[in-house]
Amino acid sequence: MSDFISLNYIEEYNYKIITEKLKNAFSTLGAEGFLKPKMKILVKVNIPYSVSPNLAKSTHPAVVRAVVDVLNMYGVKCILADWPLKDANDLDKIYFETGMLEVANYSNCELNHDLSNCKFEIPNGISTKALYMLNLINDVDGIVNIGKVKFDEKLGFLGSTANLFGLVAGEYKNLIVNRLSNLQGFNNLLIDIFETLNKKLLLNVLDGIVALEAGDTPRVLSCLGVGANSFSLDAAFIDILGLQRENTILREAAQRGHVKLEHPYRLLNEQIEKFKVADFALQNFNAETELHNKRSQQKYFKSHQERAIIKPNKCKGCSVCSKICPTNAIMMKYDKNGELFAEIDYSKCVFCFKCKETCPYNVVEMKSPLGYKMLMKNLQTFNKTK
């Protein structure tokens, strides 16, 4: 994937200026080679909940409208979509508050109202082996990803790659994140999602005209980025904000072969120094930064996470499950009588349930707490209303 990126100096959300900049960026990045007439494109916006775009918590409608209008020049059909963290049952309200309804009124695009979902298997995933995501992903020919530059006090830098997390089904986001103990786990989760969507991910646009500092404070950066590689695009903004690359998602992305940590991008136009800020409000983060209070995490886990259980008195000690486990989360131990049994370390478990599938004695049981049952019931409700 190309590591070329386009950084564009734009002082305010002026639709006409943004459109002209995007036209040039798309053309320079060779969009005519992968955007073909009649393609159906999922335009992944960032709308976490009903919020005014002036608060810099969502992608600005002027950017989204410009992206859609440029895409229309290539003859594609655009569907704006996200799965908000809150208020998902009232998408019309969210589309109105975030300005997406205005985009649809002025531009030739469709607002997605179909939150039907399905399970995406991620056989090579590190943080998870499966995710429930929007079924719309299966129905489109490609994805154009429009992210927002933010710094979250729990998750650190959120940019282009992190925006793909919005395609994960509603409350299921909380379930997945609560499995993870540190920031490295979350970064690998984002990369798992990226690898799942990579074949359909055509282009990334990152709205940093106004970014969000730590403490939810809007901050003018005057930068709009475009690139084919979401990690290269993120790297440029990580440099702009003054973050250490090795303390961000770039470290895990480099380890998994998606970007070069030393030279993560090549600039097509503006120089990076034009955008750098020295006093952007940040916090110290590294891969080992804990995501949760351990006590609250354990409480959530017990009430919401479906999991495999191996009772020592039933286990035959054959070690098949231990050998098949992709994360070495199952250890063989001896009980007081000297008999071998298998024990699951849930801090390493990615809940692929291969242990249950492969147990020759059928002694691996499933535990489905009430919280998990309610979560799955809610997801199934969206499928029934399709």
Side-chain angles (χ1 to χ4, degrees), residues 185-384:
F186 180 70
N187 289 339
N188 273 314
L189 171 66
L190 296 180
I191 300 170
D192 291 343
I193 296 171
F194 168 84
E195 291 182 350
T196 305
L197 303 176
N198 190 26
K199 289 183 179 179
K200 290 195 174 183
L201 187 58
L202 303 177
L203 207 57
N204 302 278
V205 177
L206 194 47
D207 175 9
I209 298 175
V210 179
L212 196 67
E213 293 181 307
D216 285 350
T217 304
R219 172 69 180 273
V220 176
L221 289 184
S222 302
C223 187
L224 182 70
V226 187
N229 185 330
S230 66
F231 300 108
S232 295
L233 189 55
D234 283 342
F237 281 89
I238 284 168
D239 288 349
I240 288 170
L241 301 184
L243 289 160
Q244 297 297 313
R245 293 175 185 171
E246 61 271 16
N247 288 337
T248 69
I249 192 173
L250 297 181
R251 189 180 79 164
E252 284 73 44
Q255 290 171 350
R256 295 171 68 170
H258 296 296
V259 72
K260 296 178 181 178
L261 194 58
E262 293 299 319
H263 303 286
Y265 54 84
R266 289 182 285 177
L267 290 170
L268 289 171
N269 43 7
E270 303 282 9
Q271 294 303 304
I272 198 79
E273 285 71 23
K274 186 170 185 176
F275 304 100
K276 284 188 175 181
V277 292
D279 57 348
F280 194 90
L282 301 167
Q283 290 177 281
N284 292 323
F285 278 85
N286 59 52
E288 285 69 42
T289 298
E290 291 185 1
L291 292 182
H292 315 280
N293 173 283
K294 289 187 176 180
R295 182 175 295 180
S296 62
Q297 184 186 29
Q298 289 170 357
K299 183 178 179 181
Y300 186 92
F301 180 88
K302 289 180 180 179
S303 62
H304 285 79
Q305 179 61 63
E306 181 185 42
R307 54 196 181 274
I309 293 177
I310 305 174
K311 294 183 178 180
N313 62 331
K314 291 185 178 180
C315 182
K316 305 300 182 183
C318 68
S319 76
V320 169
C321 59
S322 179
K323 293 175 181 177
I324 200 69
C325 180
T327 59
N328 297 317
I330 303 179
M331 300 163 288
M332 301 305 298
K333 294 185 174 183
Y334 288 96
D335 64 17
K336 60 182 180 181
N337 297 317
E339 299 291 336
L340 266 178
F341 71 95
E343 183 176 82
I344 301 174
D345 180 355
Y346 294 111
S347 67
K348 297 180 180 179
C349 181
V350 289
F351 307 93
C352 63
F353 306 128
K354 289 186 181 295
C355 51
K356 179 172 176 57
E357 295 171 5
T358 58
C359 178
Y361 299 102
N362 198 30
V363 299
V364 181
E365 302 174 2
M366 296 300 297
K367 172 73 173 179
S368 299
L370 180 60
Y372 180 83
K373 292 177 181 177
M374 293 300 297
L375 169 61
M376 298 311 296
K377 183 177 180 180
N378 290 339
L379 294 184
Q380 291 168 8
T381 299
F382 287 116
N383 289 341
K384 291 177 181 178

Side-chain angles (χ1 to χ4, degrees), residues 21-33 70 74 203 268:
K21 295 284 188 179
L22 287 175
K23 279 184 190 176
N24 293 333
F26 278 39
S27 177
T28 304
L29 288 165
E32 66 279 358
V70 174
Y74 290 88
L203 207 57
L268 289 171

